[in-house]
Amino acid sequence: HLHPDERVIEALQHSLFCASLFESMRAEIIPPSAGLVGTPVSSQKHQKPVAWLSSEMEESFLPSISEMVGQETMRSGETLLLSVIHCHEGEVKVQLDDEYSLTVKLIEAGTASAAANNDSGTNGEQNGKLNGADSGSQSTNQLKTLCRTLLLHSQSLYHDHCIKTRAQQSTTEVKTESKLAPGLTRKKTATSPSPHILQSCVGLGCKLIFERKVRMVLNRISDWLAQDMKCEETVEVEWLPTTVFGTHSCFVILFHRLCLDVRVDADEVRVTQTSENGEFKSVKFESDFELEYFLKKHMSIQLRKR
């Protein structure tokens, strides 16, 4: 058990950590003004391009997902795009995909605890009501899990960034002192590159949502085979074990002689197939509906070959 004074210190450290984390994420949209407390951030010329969206319009013309979280863009070293709905002093809201947006907000610790207690008390009553169309393609529980995952991801990235920054500062100070005369010291602040936490959360959020949609496609395919095609065989799906915070997911589909390697990124699904005669084919899709049509077509071909 912690002493009351230690609890106060721990709560204060957590508050400072959350405030610095939020300022680091907000700095990806708007560079902080001089004098704000937080970790060093890169200069304005290194800021990511931002597209400001109007939340008052009934229709929003969003950039393509590949420009916001595209893997090809990341591999080529090009800067990605943040689609910002609004950016206030204590709240940032960005667009995840064409269905969901992500809000990052600083709140009082007491308010957070009260909201958690209230949510646990009313969860059973509201669960059946909100798990349907009110929450879109994802259920309420899935969205809560997504938010917790992104929160943990952002905290992990910022924690690693702080450790690297302190290590660089210590190394720089030691090198500076060795070049000065005895008794003289000069501190030099080392600025490490921005971890782009907000962009990483957008990319991970899109990947997790897209992966969930792909899993729903696989469930619909199984129902389609059993009910519409009257097929007694089942589809075998084996997912490759990967980290939760990974940028992609992979799995293999086996059905009769059909074998497909599938990779799910934040902006696309790539399907690779090697036929019996050694012919190699690779195709990519940008929506779950395209993937579903592709799987149904190839499985229908396999059924006709029986």
Side-chain angles (χ1 to χ4, degrees):
H1 299 283
L2 293 176
H3 191 272
D5 293 340
E6 294 178 341
R7 292 180 181 177
V8 173
I9 295 175
E10 186 181 64
L12 179 59
Q13 290 175 337
H14 179 71
S15 298
L16 292 175
F17 176 84
C18 292
S20 299
L21 169 59
F22 177 81
E23 288 301 330
S24 177
M25 300 174 73
R26 186 172 179 267
E28 297 181 41
I29 302 174
I30 301 177
S33 58
L36 281 181
V37 177
T39 58
V41 295
S42 55
S43 59
Q44 187 170 0
K45 66 179 181 179
H46 296 299
Q47 295 299 316
K48 304 178 70 60
V50 172
W52 292 87
L53 306 180
S54 174
S55 58
E56 299 178 356
M57 298 176 60
E58 294 182 359
E59 295 184 0
S60 296
F61 299 93
L62 304 177
S64 63
I65 298 296
S66 60
E67 292 185 1
M68 294 189 289
V69 294
Q71 298 302 316
E72 293 297 333
T73 304
M74 294 177 64
R75 281 190 286 266
S76 63
E78 299 177 11
T79 53
L80 300 176
L81 190 66
L82 280 173
S83 296
V84 183
I85 298 176
H86 64 245
C87 180
H88 303 316
E89 208 170 300
E91 180 176 316
V92 170
K93 187 174 183 180
V94 296
Q95 196 73 27
L96 275 181
D97 56 8
D98 57 350
E99 186 178 14
Y100 295 106
S101 58
L102 174 65
T103 301
V104 183
K105 185 176 182 179
L106 276 179
I107 58 176
E108 295 291 338
T111 304
S113 301
N117 295 332
N118 182 60
D119 178 71
S120 61
T122 60
N123 185 50
E125 178 181 349
Q126 296 179 349
N127 199 29
K129 178 181 177 181
L130 295 178
N131 273 350
D134 291 346
S135 58
S137 63
Q138 312 293 307
S139 68
T140 304
N141 289 334
Q142 290 168 351
L143 292 177
K144 289 180 180 178
T145 302
L146 174 65
C147 291
R148 294 189 181 104
T149 303
L150 297 182
L151 178 60
L152 179 59
H153 182 54
S154 64
Q155 292 174 341
S156 300
L157 288 177
Y158 187 68
H159 178 70
D160 294 342
H161 174 64
C162 291
I163 292 178
K164 292 179 181 178
T165 301
R166 290 171 184 171
Q168 290 178 359
Q169 289 177 350
S170 300
T171 303
T172 303
E173 291 177 6
V174 170
K175 291 182 179 180
T176 302
E177 291 177 4
S178 63
K179 295 179 181 180
L180 295 176
L184 297 179
T185 59
R186 181 179 60 190
K187 290 186 177 181
K188 182 179 179 182
T189 303
T191 58
S192 59
S194 172
H196 299 312
I197 299 175
L198 183 59
Q199 181 65 68
S200 298
C201 288
V202 170
L204 179 61
C206 288
K207 192 270 291 189
L208 293 176
I209 292 175
F210 203 5
E211 179 184 328
R212 179 61 187 172
K213 291 180 178 180
V214 170
R215 291 180 182 269
M216 294 170 64
V217 166
L218 297 177
N219 292 335
R220 292 198 297 267
I221 290 294
S222 298
D223 295 339
W224 169 75
L225 287 173
Q227 299 174 8
D228 297 348
M229 306 304 292
K230 308 300 180 182
C231 179
E232 297 181 357
E233 293 88 349
T234 59
V235 180
E236 296 184 20
V237 179
E238 183 175 353
W239 286 84
L240 180 68
T242 55
T243 175
V244 178
F245 300 142
T247 58
H248 64 275
S249 301
C250 299
F251 64 94
V252 178
I253 298 179
L254 297 175
F255 183 72
H256 287 275
R257 295 186 176 182
L258 180 66
C259 180
L260 302 174
D261 292 328
V262 185
R263 172 182 168 126
V264 183
D265 288 305
D267 62 322
E268 68 180 27
V269 177
R270 183 171 294 275
V271 181
T272 304
Q273 177 185 7
T274 303
S275 60
E276 296 179 353
N277 58 3
E279 184 179 358
F280 176 83
K281 295 180 181 179
S282 180
V283 61
K284 67 177 182 179
F285 307 103
E286 295 183 354
S287 72
D288 53 317
F289 299 106
E290 294 174 336
L291 175 64
E292 182 174 0
Y293 177 80
F294 173 84
L295 293 178
K296 285 183 177 180
K297 176 182 177 181
H298 281 265
M299 289 181 181
S300 298
I301 296 175
Q302 293 296 319
L303 291 175
R304 288 195 295 266
K305 291 181 178 180
R306 287 189 303 176

